[in-house]
Amino acid sequence: MLQAGGHWRNWVGNQSCIVRHRGAPESEAALAEMVRDATAQGLNVRCAGSGHSFTPVALTSGLHLTLSSMQGVVNIDSARKRVAVKAGTTINQLGKVLKENGLSLINQGDIDSQALAGALTTGTHGTGARLGNMASQIVGMRLVQPDGSILVVDERTPDLLEAARVSVGMLGVISEITLQAMESYNLHEKLWRCTFDEMIEQHDELAAKHRHFGFFWCPVPESRHCYCLPDTASVSTTDNTSDVCEMKVIDITGEAPMERGFEKIAYSSEIYPIEYVPNFHELEYAVPVAHGKEAVKAVRKLMLEKHPTCIYPIEYRFTAGDTGWISPFFEQDSITLSVSGEPGTDYWEYLKDVDTILRQYGSRPHWGKLHFLGAEDVTALYPRAGDFRALRAKVDPEGR
């Protein structure tokens, strides 16, 4: 049964809507009934995960769904190292179950409180030059269609699978996801601080040598506090506190768990998470990896010379290309470059200037983060955009 509506807002408060109905189903059958009833009433439907997207992807004036009551692992195929999980399950919840069963996610990002379906289908990723985004681990889905029927997506429906992996909720409401995992592993993490020039000198070597490499560039000492980054002065290679890079490398190891200073060995899902507070609004684009250093130099120059009051760090990571039709990384090895504006300030011109810089490299946005693309841009940047639109029209002809 559909519930009365009301006001919804996202995690950071920059997106909100007044909805006619809410729905919090506890089963796939209940979810299907809600979607079917909404369609009968001519209502559009959107489903919010944990509300971490900075874009209006979860907004609607119709039926607004949460799958927070649809959590947990459905099945683990130990032989194939695959796990079927309900769509509302959070990344950290899944990590705990995988650990208990001798498995790990292949890769994940630096926030682990997100609901799986929302995180994966907006293009969420970690870092690693040879590692794809999280959606590339998807091998199956169950999608609730506008009429309440269930569309099963797996390797026997390759076009549907590639379209649905990163689909921003446009092909149906996901009730269940099956992921390819791998044998459980521990990671060895090292943190340090260096100058920007030192980072540029080491950039290619660190990306090639380590399973994971990424950094935050901090224009001023206060930048580090914006994202609650630790003070790595004791392991720094520079005495500078401005115009510095907070560096991180991570590799799989057989050594025993330990922690000292800015070095740690722990189970995979215990390494990644960074504690963020909702004090930023973020833009992030995937830049072809060949242009990564040029792009970060240009954005750094912009911040230092034109926008010196914009002090949130640049976050810089690596992601391998994949086959998802509207994935930011479709057939494109990339670095991701993100910048943020401070809530309550007029940061729009700054983000537009960053967009102008990154556009010249053929960059594509993370679908859950601020961007300035229109329909024509999507057509130009995504070779399978037309195929995606045609498939969407087939499964959801009324655009529900």
Side-chain angles (χ1 to χ4, degrees):
M1 179 179 295
L2 301 183
Q3 303 167 3
H7 179 256
W8 179 88
R9 52 167 281 176
N10 66 342
W11 177 59
V12 298
N14 74 317
Q15 302 289 346
S16 65
C17 60
I18 303 296
V19 302
R20 186 178 301 182
H21 295 292
R22 298 179 188 270
E26 297 182 0
S27 67
E28 184 182 79
L31 170 60
E33 181 181 1
M34 290 179 183
V35 174
R36 184 168 58 248
D37 288 351
T39 298
Q41 295 179 41
L43 300 176
N44 287 335
V45 179
R46 293 304 285 166
C47 187
S50 53
H52 273 80
S53 290
F54 298 89
T55 52
V57 291
L59 304 189
T60 182
S61 59
L63 171 61
H64 199 264
L65 293 166
T66 173
L67 302 187
S68 58
S69 295
M70 291 179 61
Q71 298 183 350
V73 170
V74 177
N75 179 65
I76 294 179
D77 182 340
S78 298
R80 295 201 293 174
K81 299 181 177 62
R82 291 184 171 185
V83 55
V85 60
K86 295 179 183 179
T89 307
T90 61
I91 296 168
N92 51 30
Q93 289 171 334
L94 176 59
K96 293 172 184 175
V97 177
L98 291 177
K99 182 178 182 180
E100 293 169 358
N101 288 271
L103 298 173
S104 294
L105 288 172
I106 296 169
N107 196 14
Q108 65 184 84
D110 54 15
I111 296 179
D112 68 351
S113 57
Q114 300 156 305
L116 276 166
L120 272 62
T121 61
T122 52
T124 296
H125 57 93
T127 186
R130 293 172 294 281
L131 299 170
N133 67 358
M134 292 188 70
S136 65
Q137 300 170 52
I138 297 174
V139 292
M141 287 187 196
R142 292 175 65 86
L143 295 170
V144 178
Q145 299 297 278
D147 63 358
S149 62
I150 307 300
L151 180 61
V152 177
V153 179
D154 57 27
E155 289 141 319
R156 295 167 294 185
T157 57
D159 282 357
L160 268 171
L161 181 59
E162 299 299 356
R165 279 186 167 134
V166 179
S167 56
V168 204
M170 291 187 285
L171 299 180
V173 181
I174 302 167
S175 61
E176 185 180 303
I177 301 176
T178 301
L179 296 169
Q180 181 67 56
M182 62 181 289
E183 186 175 344
S184 177
Y185 57 91
N186 284 346
L187 289 170
H188 186 179
E189 174 192 75
K190 292 184 178 181
L191 307 177
W192 74 97
R193 179 184 303 161
C194 69
T195 66
F196 184 82
D197 289 341
E198 284 180 288
M199 180 281 297
I200 291 295
E201 291 175 6
Q202 302 173 61
H203 178 284
D204 295 353
E205 179 185 357
L206 292 173
K209 181 179 178 181
H210 296 282
R211 189 177 197 260
H212 310 272
F213 161 53
F215 64 87
F216 291 89
W217 174 72
C218 298
V220 294
E222 294 77 21
S223 301
R224 187 170 48 80
H225 301 296
C226 296
Y227 289 160
C228 306
L229 301 177
D231 183 359
T232 55
S234 62
V235 288
S236 176
T237 62
T238 176
D239 292 330
N240 296 349
T241 56
S242 300
D243 191 12
V244 291
C245 294
E246 298 291 344
M247 307 282 278
K248 176 187 290 189
V249 295
I250 312 176
D251 292 289
I252 290 178
T253 180
E255 297 178 33
M258 67 88 179
E259 186 166 2
R260 61 171 179 264
F262 298 97
E263 189 173 4
K264 181 167 72 171
I265 294 175
Y267 172 70
S268 58
S269 69
E270 297 167 358
I271 285 284
Y272 298 105
I274 294 176
E275 291 295 326
Y276 290 99
V277 293
N279 65 345
F280 63 100
H281 298 159
E282 188 175 19
L283 171 149
E284 180 180 270
Y285 285 12
V287 183
V289 71
H291 301 299
K293 288 181 286 186
E294 182 183 350
V296 73
K297 287 178 181 178
V299 175
R300 168 178 172 261
K301 185 174 187 291
L302 172 77
M303 293 174 68
L304 291 174
E305 296 180 1
K306 185 176 179 181
H307 297 284
T309 61
C310 296
I311 66 168
Y312 277 80
I314 294 174
E315 185 174 15
Y316 186 103
R317 293 176 286 173
F318 291 80
T319 302
D322 61 49
T323 52
W325 285 1
I326 59 166
S327 165
F329 313 100
F330 177 72
E331 297 185 347
Q332 174 182 289
D333 293 339
S334 304
I335 64 93
T336 56
L337 192 156
S338 71
V339 299
S340 295
E342 181 181 0
T345 67
D346 185 6
Y347 56 79
W348 210 240
E349 288 304 316
Y350 162 55
L351 296 189
K352 288 172 68 176
D353 285 346
V354 173
D355 169 81
T356 297
I357 289 172
L358 299 185
R359 273 176 183 265
Q360 64 184 304
Y361 304 113
S363 306
R364 301 171 180 151
H366 184 307
W367 292 118
K369 301 187 182 182
L370 299 172
H371 64 85
F372 296 90
L373 269 68
E376 291 183 359
D377 298 314
V378 173
T379 300
L381 289 169
Y382 296 84
R384 301 302 296 270
D387 296 325
F388 182 90
R389 291 172 176 137
L391 182 57
R392 184 193 180 200
K394 182 177 179 181
V395 300
D396 185 14
E398 294 182 334
R400 291 295 171 202

